[in-house]
Amino acid sequence: MFYIIGGVAVLSALIMVTNKKPVSAAMSLIVTMLCLSGMYVILDAHLIAALQIIVYAGAIMVLFLFVIMLLNIQEKEGRLSGHKIFLQFAWIMLVGYVFISMVKLIGGDSLPARVEGSINGFGTTKAVGEILFTDFLLPFEIASILLLAAIVGAVILAKAKVD
Amino acid sequence: MEIIIPTINLASIYPEIVVTIFAVIVLLLHAFTPHHSPGGAGKGGDHLGYISFIGIAYATFLVFTQEGGTEYSFNGLWILDNYSRFFRLIFLLGTGLTILISVKYVKDEGINHGEYYSLILFATVGMMIMGGGADLITIFLGLELMSISLYVLAGYTRNRLTSNESSLKYFLLGSFATGFLLYGIALLYGATGTTNLKGISGFISESNFGNPILIMGMVLLVVGFGFKIASVPFHMWTPDVYEGAPSPITAFMSAGPKAAAFAAFARVFFEGLPSLQGVWVDLIWILAVLTMTVGNVIALVQNNIKRMLAYSSIAHAGYVLVAFVSANELGIGGILYYMLAYTFMNIGAFGIIIVVGGKGEKRVNVDDYTGLAYRHPVAAATMSLFLFSLAGIPPTAGFMGKFYIFSAAIKSGYIGLAIIGVINSVVSVYYYLRITVAMYMKEPESAVSGAESMPSLVFSTAMIIAMVIAAYGVLRMGIFPSAYIALAQQSHLSF
């Protein structure tokens, strides 16, 4: 199951990067997001999976598509030269090699066993909410201040009138 | 269903709460006061600056009243100790001075008041959270709160192109660095099963500390923090951002957030990863040497004074990294002392830059300082004082700070590093003194063009207060350093 979802996620991510039409690129990004949420389900994190679909695949992507359609971005002419494609390919290979050697180095046994919390009700809305309002109360509040500051900032930078 | 609420100790976050409340008050006051006189958006907003300043002063008072000792609260996510208390004072001082030097600037540039001050206050809250976080999650959220406010503040003068450029660059590179940091945190969590610093160090000391995931996470953390403190090779954003951002914000960025990044950096590495010290010391040794050397050498050829100070700020991060490498009590004390001194002298220097720059930041080149001493002896003398301090010439705070850091390095056996540091310090004297030479030893331009190029400088009351505080701090810390050193040493981490 993991390999199917992971494969589709990587494939659609590749399509997204290589596709020249912005709308189709955005669509394949949605597929990637959906696959990611599938992974969260495998990891027992149901709430995160649902949020992933609602927030990313839903809200943010709709916003993306709106912007793309509003701006009416034209398809760019011309292709990348073979030289450049080769260079990019080489880079991807290099990074991939680093990651593979890292995984080899790490091996299976150095990863800790599953954390205890995963036993009862891990990943459900109730469990997440409970933790959020008890153990992680402070970060939760800080995050709200963070969002307030971000909203204020966005309003300032995007305000129409320059004064 | 039973919910166990962990100990909520509001007293330990009083200063943060106060600053947040004041940020919101300023925001609301701005929204509900009429300020729609034609073209007068910049008028009559001084009170917001003063209100913010009162908030900062009150928070400072609260920090002083918090009793000593080390105390964890919020389920181990928050720590109140001498270390975080000292850093809070640095942040509040930096913010207070920034607000004072901003008042006139904001009015001249006609930029919106309310959000400006409230974003500065939000950034301060973020910094304080970074200083007091005992968990990677708390530290990360504080860092984000600070960074997001700063991204906006850097682009605050929207009608200036360089400011926009600065904001965008900072935002893009900053998000990238945040990604690195988050990856590092995720890997650490994966390797140890906790984000709590105490938990991490406990886990490492009793089990496998040769775990490659752990090392990877640590390296990524170095990258992320290295970006925030502007160390070479993660410094690329600094010159452009510092040059483009409004001058008071540049002053702010080079003092507070840098200190905050160091606070979190040191906290994570000394408290969370002390067992890996053998690994990260070498890494940071290289960073320190590169940062000092590259920063100082490039600063030599800069003509724009803000850009020069940007490179100088990179170099200063390098000196602090030297203290970091020494990793003893003296070293931690050195970081604290140096950050305090740096806050005084750098904000002081930027204060003069703002005054000389005038409306629209027109005069920001070294040539614009030619003959300043003949026209404005006080301004030139103050500027020289701050520059001497930055260069590390006694009897200023900068000298004591460097002395302290290098002796810490020698004490823990990093003699080579100390020598490189001192050589760098000598190199830096050249470009600092270049400004002094321009101010004192060159004749002002001929009377015909001189009248145009050097109009009278206007010091506002707030600016004078800020300059006096900064100058007093620099001299006081340089001449009677013992009290501050004792305070800094008391505040070292208990590790």
Side-chain angles (χ1 to χ4, degrees), chain A residues 120-139:
Chain A
N120 44 19
F122 174 80
T124 59
T125 318
K126 186 180 160 195
V128 172
E130 214 174 299
I131 285 186
L132 212 53
F133 285 105
T134 55
D135 289 355
F136 290 91
L137 181 66
L138 185 68

Side-chain angles (χ1 to χ4, degrees), chain B residues 251-429:
Chain B
F252 183 57
M253 276 197 287
S254 64
K258 185 168 275 196
F262 267 114
F265 197 6
R267 167 94 67 193
V268 171
F269 277 70
F270 288 115
E271 208 147 272
L273 307 164
S275 328
L276 296 175
Q277 196 172 346
V279 187
W280 55 254
V281 156
D282 293 338
L283 210 62
I284 292 175
W285 193 93
I286 298 170
L287 276 191
V289 171
L290 274 179
T291 308
M292 285 190 293
T293 315
V294 172
N296 277 322
V297 170
I298 301 183
L300 290 177
V301 292
Q302 298 302 322
N303 259 326
N304 183 310
I305 196 162
K306 276 169 86 178
R307 223 177 156 76
M308 176 193 288
L309 281 183
Y311 281 108
S312 118
S313 130
I314 294 174
H316 282 279
Y319 300 137
V320 180
L321 283 177
V322 170
F324 207 100
V325 171
S326 341
N328 49 16
E329 281 175 24
L330 213 58
I332 307 267
I335 296 178
L336 293 163
Y337 185 85
Y338 204 81
M339 283 330 298
L340 182 62
Y342 189 68
T343 304
F344 277 126
M345 57 201 187
N346 213 40
I347 294 188
F350 270 103
I352 304 288
I353 289 176
I354 291 168
V355 172
V356 174
K359 195 170 165 154
E361 294 190 21
K362 285 191 286 283
R363 292 178 295 276
V364 285
N365 285 326
V366 176
D367 297 339
D368 296 323
Y369 286 76
T370 309
L372 187 71
Y374 297 94
R375 293 169 172 277
H376 306 285
V378 180
T382 324
M383 185 66 172
S384 304
L385 173 68
F386 296 132
L387 290 173
F388 280 149
S389 181
L390 284 166
I393 295 169
T396 53
F399 167 73
M400 280 317 296
K402 275 192 185 132
F403 177 77
Y404 198 19
I405 282 178
F406 293 141
S407 58
I410 288 170
K411 220 173 217 165
S412 33
Y414 293 97
I415 294 174
L417 193 60
I419 291 173
I420 297 172
V422 172
I423 292 174
N424 264 298
S425 178
V426 172
V427 170
S428 75
V429 171

Side-chain angles (χ1 to χ4, degrees), chain A residues 102 106 110-112 126 130 134-139 142 145-146 148-150 152-153 156-157 159 161-163, chain B residues 1 3-4 6 8 27 75 77-78 110 112 115 119 122 129 137-138 141 144-145 152 158 190 211 213 216:
Chain A
M102 219 176 79
I106 289 163
S110 57
L111 284 169
K126 186 180 160 195
E130 214 174 299
T134 55
D135 289 355
F136 290 91
L137 181 66
L138 185 68
I142 297 170
I145 303 175
L146 171 65
L148 176 62
V152 172
I156 288 171
L157 288 185
K159 211 160 49 172
K161 189 172 128 264
V162 176
D163 48 6
Chain B
M1 185 172 87
I3 293 181
I4 302 144
I8 292 176
L27 204 58
N75 194 33
L77 294 174
W78 186 257
N112 243 337
E115 293 90 347
L119 278 173
F122 277 131
I129 290 167
I137 290 180
T138 328
L141 280 171
E144 274 304 278
L145 177 54
V152 179
R158 281 197 307 170
N211 191 336
I213 303 184
M216 273 299 292

Side-chain angles (χ1 to χ4, degrees), chain B residues 70-90:
Chain B
T70 304
E71 191 189 351
Y72 284 89
S73 51
F74 293 99
N75 194 33
L77 294 174
W78 186 257
I79 183 170
L80 182 69
D81 56 3
N82 285 330
Y83 179 80
S84 72
R85 223 168 278 130
F86 193 94
F87 264 112
R88 278 174 182 180
L89 289 179
I90 296 181

Side-chain angles (χ1 to χ4, degrees), chain B residues 92-171:
Chain B
L92 290 170
L93 176 79
T95 310
L97 288 177
T98 306
I99 290 172
L100 285 179
I101 62 175
S102 298
V103 173
K104 183 160 181 307
Y105 181 90
V106 167
K107 213 196 258 169
D108 283 351
E109 301 288 317
I111 50 186
N112 243 337
H113 285 86
E115 293 90 347
Y116 177 87
Y117 291 118
S118 82
L119 278 173
I120 288 185
L121 293 182
F122 277 131
T124 313
V125 178
M127 296 190 284
M128 288 158 85
I129 290 167
M130 284 169 78
D135 189 289
L136 289 173
I137 290 180
T138 328
I139 290 175
F140 177 75
L141 280 171
L143 185 102
E144 274 304 278
L145 177 54
M146 175 190 91
S147 306
I148 284 182
S149 312
L150 284 179
Y151 300 149
V152 179
L153 285 170
Y156 211 93
T157 42
R158 281 197 307 170
N159 39 17
R160 222 154 25 95
L161 211 57
T162 48
S163 179
N164 297 349
E165 179 200 343
S166 142
S167 177
L168 192 65
K169 263 189 189 159
Y170 195 24
F171 175 61

